[in-house]
């Protein structure tokens, strides 16, 4: 398992999209700064150079391709456990891909797939974890380990811990262990909250009731339970 380090790059996810064929399962690329960091749906992932953990992990094991829907939550669970291990409290996961601390976003996850024709070649799990950044201009809902724990972390030491934890959790999933779902359910940021979202083109309001075994969000709408997968729901806010 290789790790490739950059001082600056456009986006670590983009790097793996371009270079996946030369790399192996569970290889990681990271950077101290991204000048074109990506969120979902063309959103931007911001970072202050050298202060955060920005990395992407490659999955080439075809047995894991059907687990596409599991991997965002699995990675979120892994980051959550790591943060708890560092002593942070108030850590939760906001379905489908955010790790929160005391209601603010500390980590975002971008899962992408690479296909040739109709055949999937690789999955890419991109993770941005705010570590030592102490100010987020124009991002009032962002936080970092430093802001929450009041202590800084050496990026190189932290990244080894994070990489070990994420890789171990992926290996557990390969063995069929789905216990990440229990951890997520116990720390479901959205539980019981009212959410407004778009579903099949309609604006809908509902209350979050849980997460099912297929990683879908269970939402109660007019006494009916909807099971929503990521692609089916666009949150209006939050
Ligand atoms: C995400 O998207 O949260 C996925 C972020 C994934 C970033 C990693 S970094 C390594 C790898 N390489 C990449 O290019 N990307 C991945 P989304 O759910 O769409 O959230 C994006 C929104 O989060 C933005 O529109 C901002 O509101 C907010 N945001 C941007 N930067 C942030 C930060 N550093 N901390 C907290 N929130 C941020």
């Amino acid at each position: 398992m290789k790790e490739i380090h950059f001082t600056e790059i456009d986006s670590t996810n983009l790097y793996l999209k371009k270079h996946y064929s030369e790399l192996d399962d569970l290889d990681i690329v990271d950077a101290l700064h991204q000048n074109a960091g990506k969120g979902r749906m063309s959103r931007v992932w911001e970072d202050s150079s050298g202060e955060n953990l920005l990395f992407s992990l490659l999955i080439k094991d075809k047995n894991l391709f059907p687990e596409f829907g599991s991997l965002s939550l699995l990675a979120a669970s892994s980051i959550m456990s790591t943060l708890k291990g560092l002593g942070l409290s108030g850590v939760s996961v906001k379905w489908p891909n955010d790790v929160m601390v005391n209601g603010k976003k500390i980590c975002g996850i971008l899962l992408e797939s690479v296909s040739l024709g109709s055949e999937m070649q690789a999955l890419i799990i991109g993770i941005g974890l705010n570590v030592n950044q102490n100010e987020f201009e124009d991002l009032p809902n962002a936080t970092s380990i430093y802001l929450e724990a009041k202590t800084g972390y050496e990026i190189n030491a932290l990244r080894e811990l994070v990489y070990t934890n994420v890789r171990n959790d992926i290996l557990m999933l390969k063995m069929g262990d789905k216990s990440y779902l229990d951890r997520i359910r116990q720390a479901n940021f959205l539980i019981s909250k009212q959410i407004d979202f778009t579903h099949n083109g309609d604006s809908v309001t509902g209350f979050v009731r849980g997460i099912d075994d297929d990683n879908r969000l269970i939402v109660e709408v007019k006494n009916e339970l909807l099971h929503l997968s990521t692609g089916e729901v666009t949150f209006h806010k939050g």
Side-chain angles (χ1 to χ4, degrees), residues 11-13 34 38-40 43-46 105 108 130:
S11 149
T12 54
N13 268 41
Q34 294 183 133
K38 296 191 299 171
R40 296 176 302 150
R43 292 194 280 249
V44 173
W45 187 257
E46 297 177 19
K105 180 162 168 172
N130 301 327

Side-chain angles (χ1 to χ4, degrees), residues 10-14 34 36-41 43-47 52-56 97-98 105-110 126-128 130 133 136 139 141-143:
D10 45 8
S11 149
T12 54
N13 268 41
L14 273 180
Q34 294 183 133
K38 296 191 299 171
R40 296 176 302 150
M41 295 171 274
R43 292 194 280 249
V44 173
W45 187 257
E46 297 177 19
D47 72 272
N52 301 324
L53 205 50
L54 308 157
F55 70 98
S56 301
N97 70 313
D98 295 343
K105 180 162 168 172
I106 198 164
C107 172
I109 294 161
L110 176 64
I127 301 182
N130 301 327
Q133 192 164 337
F136 292 90
L139 289 175
N141 200 37
T143 192

Side-chain angles (χ1 to χ4, degrees), residues 158-203:
L158 185 65
R159 78 180 177 203
E160 294 315 316
L161 178 68
V162 169
Y163 295 174
T164 303
N165 289 349
V166 175
R167 281 176 172 144
N168 279 348
D169 285 345
I170 291 171
L171 293 174
M172 296 292 283
L173 181 67
K174 283 190 192 200
M175 293 188 297
D177 182 319
K178 293 227 169 189
S179 57
Y180 73 93
L181 269 174
D182 298 328
R183 292 192 288 278
I184 296 282
R185 286 174 180 141
Q186 282 159 21
N188 181 354
F189 176 79
L190 291 176
I191 196 75
S192 304
K193 288 197 170 72
Q194 184 176 345
I195 58 167
D196 301 323
F197 58 100
T198 304
H199 182 239
N200 295 337
D202 295 328
S203 286

Side-chain angles (χ1 to χ4, degrees), residues 19-205:
H19 296 276
Y20 73 90
S21 59
E22 307 139 33
L23 296 166
D24 297 316
D25 194 43
L26 302 184
D27 282 354
I28 286 178
V29 57
D30 60 43
L32 292 174
H33 175 56
Q34 294 183 133
N35 53 44
K38 296 191 299 171
R40 296 176 302 150
M41 295 171 274
S42 311
R43 292 194 280 249
V44 173
W45 187 257
E46 297 177 19
D47 72 272
S48 170
S49 189
E51 302 199 327
N52 301 324
L53 205 50
L54 308 157
F55 70 98
S56 301
L57 180 146
L58 183 66
I59 291 187
K60 288 179 85 171
D61 178 352
K62 288 190 165 49
N63 294 324
L64 268 186
F65 293 175
E67 293 295 338
F68 185 83
S70 310
L71 287 165
S72 282
L73 287 180
L74 177 99
S77 153
S78 207
I79 298 294
M80 175 173 73
S81 304
T82 306
L83 294 177
K84 285 183 178 174
L86 296 177
L88 267 74
S89 54
V91 190
S92 61
V93 170
K94 184 175 173 192
W95 185 94
N97 70 313
D98 295 343
V99 183
M100 314 291 286
V101 178
N102 297 320
K104 292 188 167 185
K105 180 162 168 172
I106 198 164
C107 172
I109 294 161
L110 176 64
L111 183 66
E112 296 188 285
S113 61
V114 186
S115 298
L116 270 186
S118 59
E119 204 176 325
M120 202 180 270
Q121 305 293 317
L123 299 179
I124 296 168
I125 309 176
I127 301 182
L129 173 63
N130 301 327
V131 182
N132 293 323
Q133 192 164 337
N134 63 6
E135 218 179 339
F136 292 90
E137 236 177 277
D138 304 326
L139 289 175
N141 200 37
T143 192
S144 66
I145 299 180
Y146 175 79
L147 289 173
E148 298 299 326
K150 308 286 180 258
T151 170
Y153 277 87
E154 216 269 301
I155 293 285
N156 289 351
L158 185 65
R159 78 180 177 203
E160 294 315 316
L161 178 68
V162 169
Y163 295 174
T164 303
N165 289 349
V166 175
R167 281 176 172 144
N168 279 348
D169 285 345
I170 291 171
L171 293 174
M172 296 292 283
L173 181 67
K174 283 190 192 200
M175 293 188 297
D177 182 319
K178 293 227 169 189
S179 57
Y180 73 93
L181 269 174
D182 298 328
R183 292 192 288 278
I184 296 282
R185 286 174 180 141
Q186 282 159 21
N188 181 354
F189 176 79
L190 291 176
I191 196 75
S192 304
K193 288 197 170 72
Q194 184 176 345
I195 58 167
D196 301 323
F197 58 100
T198 304
H199 182 239
N200 295 337
D202 295 328
S203 286
V204 185
T205 294

